[in-house]
Amino acid sequence: MYVGQFKAVQLVDRLEATAKARQATLARFRARPTADDPAVLARQAARQAVIQAREVRISEREIARLAAEAEREAEALAARVRAEAELARQTAEKAERQAALAAEQKAARDARFAARKAKVRR
């Protein structure tokens, strides 16, 4: 047998296999259901349902995130108000203590002054 003839046979076999593969692919393509086929419409409806459910879940998560954020902001505001009220209370107490101390110091000073005057008058 001639070697060149063997190579030609292999080439012909490969070309025939390629042609059969193309035909099979074309047959699969032609056998595909059309766009108005009930199975295709059902798959599209199922996809749409999944997409809508996903969008609903995303929007619910966003709503929950916004609610949690608003709650955190409200808690932070309440904490700031409590801190400011505590600071105002502490400031008022300090002012009262200073006023009481000043009154005690004045009373002590007046008592010393009165004692000196009484000592001088005797």
Side-chain angles (χ1 to χ4, degrees):
M1 187 167 153
Y2 180 65
V3 176
Q5 184 181 11
F6 182 68
K7 286 185 181 181
V9 171
Q10 282 182 341
L11 178 62
V12 170
D13 288 342
R14 285 199 319 261
L15 289 177
E16 286 177 3
T18 304
K20 285 180 185 176
R22 279 192 192 129
Q23 289 297 324
T25 303
L26 187 59
R28 275 198 323 268
F29 181 75
R30 287 186 181 146
R32 254 187 18 198
T34 59
D36 59 351
D37 187 284
V40 172
L41 294 176
R43 278 196 310 269
Q44 285 177 344
R47 279 191 209 120
Q48 283 300 108
V50 168
I51 290 170
Q52 288 175 349
R54 183 181 306 129
E55 288 174 353
V56 167
R57 287 191 309 270
I58 289 171
S59 63
E60 288 173 350
R61 279 195 303 263
E62 181 68 17
I63 289 170
R65 184 187 65 79
L66 292 174
E69 185 177 315
E71 185 177 337
R72 281 191 305 271
E73 288 177 3
E75 289 173 359
L77 179 62
R80 278 197 306 269
V81 167
R82 284 193 302 270
E84 289 174 0
E86 180 65 20
L87 181 64
R89 184 188 63 77
Q90 288 175 353
T91 304
E93 286 179 358
K94 184 177 179 182
E96 287 177 22
R97 283 193 308 270
Q98 287 178 345
L101 180 63
E104 287 176 20
Q105 289 174 346
K106 184 175 182 326
R109 189 177 62 242
D110 289 347
R112 285 193 309 270
F113 181 73
R116 270 197 318 262
K117 278 208 155 201
K119 192 176 179 182
V120 169
R121 286 186 189 154
R122 285 195 241 169

